Amino acid sequence: MFGLMQEHPLLVSSLIEHAVASHPGVEIVSRTVEGPVHRCTWRDIHRRAKQAANALTALGVKPGDRVATLAWNGYRHMELYFGVSGMGAVLHTVNPRLFPEQLEYIINHAEDGVLFFDPSFIALVEKLAPKLGSVRAFVLMADRAHMPETTIPGLLCYEELLAAQYDEFTWPDIDERSAASLCYTSGTTGKPKGVLYSHRSTVLHAFGACTVDSLAVSRKETALLVVPMFHVNAWSMPYAAAMSGARLVLPGPALDGASVYSLLRDEQVTLALGVPTVWLMLLQHVSAAGLKPYAELALHRVVIGGAAVPRAMIEAFEDDFGAIVVHAWGMTETSPVGTVNNLLPTQRALPPEQRLDVQTTQGRAVFGVRLKLTDGEGRTLPHDGQAAGHLKIRGPWVASAYYRDEGGPILDDEGWFDTGDVATIDSDGYMHITDRSKDVIKSGGEWISSIAIENAAMGHPLVAEAAVIGIAHPKWQERPLLLVVVKPGQTLEREVVLNYLKDRIAKWWLPDDVLFVHDLPHTATGKLLKAKLREQFRDYRFPDA
Ligand code: AMP
């Protein structure tokens, strides 16, 4: 017997309609590429998203067509989030930090028909334009005053395009399984692959993000999205904010410590979200400039994900900002929110050291996704906090295949997706990533967690960043090599670092050597690029090996 409830498709357009009905006057604050801070409301985003949908229709865009953006976090990007998906087309957010050859590959692979881009990328698009066969309209996200002399064929002006259109548009009643947006993995190995989110997955994921034991996005928050809208839909925040009425602060291209700090202060941000590398820049700025965030800011939660959060970062936000770090884990393939670390009532009362042990884990699965661990033979491992295995995930906002079936089937017989991460899960469900499976260091038949050593090394007050890779060893198969970037103007010695680590990690995990480097390579999404490091240190041999 079926239930007798109404069936309405879960659509991105329903989010923007809810926003204008429930919180029309809530602000979206953007620091623009042009410089000044721009203020608008959900009412404006709604109106202009409809103008954008009319403009797209006039450009010949049909439901299912791909429309690309190459843009920072800002109000025009928000309008396209809702205008493009709302009219049934697919919003392809392109990560401008990818190499030009990768950009060319993914725009052609997606067969984007229109490319919207910020003024920062004019030179880049000039270079790319002749190679982008499918793009029939290039639109600069600016007003007439900012239109350049350019070689880009028939370049259109965003503001003029919108101004020519009515703000009436009836969102089509499409199948909720239709594609809403597309994001390519950053492709540390091989070609980037497209993850195609549906309307249904996007709305369910936004519900998941808003729940209290997840990101707890609500009307009472002013949220700074340092996490880019060009990568995994900014962790759902544009949608979750439309759903909940959170006030949004969008930082544009300026992500340096000083710029982020001034937005936190001037907009009295309560919730900020981003990857560890941007928070490192902020913490360094605060300490170099002798600022007093505790006194000046209203920040009370910082959601950090995309890479493991160092313990020292959690302490710094707590001590200097009075803010709680909420550690989260996810992937492009998981929309991305998979697990979120909120403390249980009993854990809040733990002594600080033990509480930090919990907070450095990646947290518990958000309702909707399920996790499991398997060994090398595919056998399920217990959730005892000890057994480390391959982390698998399934749920309605997890990919079932890559766009155009690149790479073939990605699920096992029971529908689980192998994340490529190695993790433990404890009896309360707290998942702890110990490594990417390809970064695991295999020493004497056991696994050493490179992330745990990095985390410990980054607790040293003079260490700015650390990376650990496995180096071939004649006796142990592999041993850890620690690479350290020292804070500006400081010096450190190998012995001092090793001494510091001795009490903080298992004895047999102690790196066989420490090398000091000027900087470490990162991917387009801010993760350590270990493949490059392994390549760079391929011929390195330990002194006593
Ligand atoms: P991406 O698809 O580019 O967002 O990368 C996803 C990968 O980033 C995951 O599979 C993890 O390896 C890594 N990652 C994301 N969040 C975390 C986290 N909180 N701790 C450790 N690794 C993370």
Side-chain angles (χ1 to χ4, degrees), residues 420-475:
D421 287 323
V422 175
T424 61
I425 300 176
D426 75 11
S427 53
D428 284 319
Y430 283 80
M431 187 272 286
H432 191 193
I433 303 256
T434 55
D435 253 313
R436 286 296 286 167
S437 52
K438 56 185 184 300
D439 295 338
V440 153
I441 300 165
K442 298 184 188 90
S443 177
E446 300 280 348
W447 287 357
I448 295 179
S449 162
S450 63
I451 294 181
I453 307 176
E454 285 156 9
N455 223 327
M458 281 169 72
H460 190 285
L462 300 186
V463 173
E465 212 183 355
V468 173
I469 53 171
I471 295 284
H473 190 283
K475 178 166 176 203

Side-chain angles (χ1 to χ4, degrees), residues 184-187 231-232 235 304-309 327-334 336 339 360-362 419-421 433 435-436 451 523 525 527:
Y184 280 71
T185 59
S186 42
H231 186 55
V232 234
W235 303 352
I304 312 182
V309 183
H327 190 179
W329 167 90
M331 322 176 63
T332 311
E333 290 87 339
T334 66
T339 65
T360 46
T361 74
Q362 280 70 13
T419 63
D421 287 323
I433 303 256
D435 253 313
R436 286 296 286 167
I451 294 181
T523 66
T525 50
K527 296 181 215 307

Side-chain angles (χ1 to χ4, degrees), residues 285-300:
H285 169 73
V286 164
S287 103
L291 298 170
K292 301 263 171 296
Y294 215 110
E296 288 186 311
L297 306 185
L299 189 66
H300 69 88

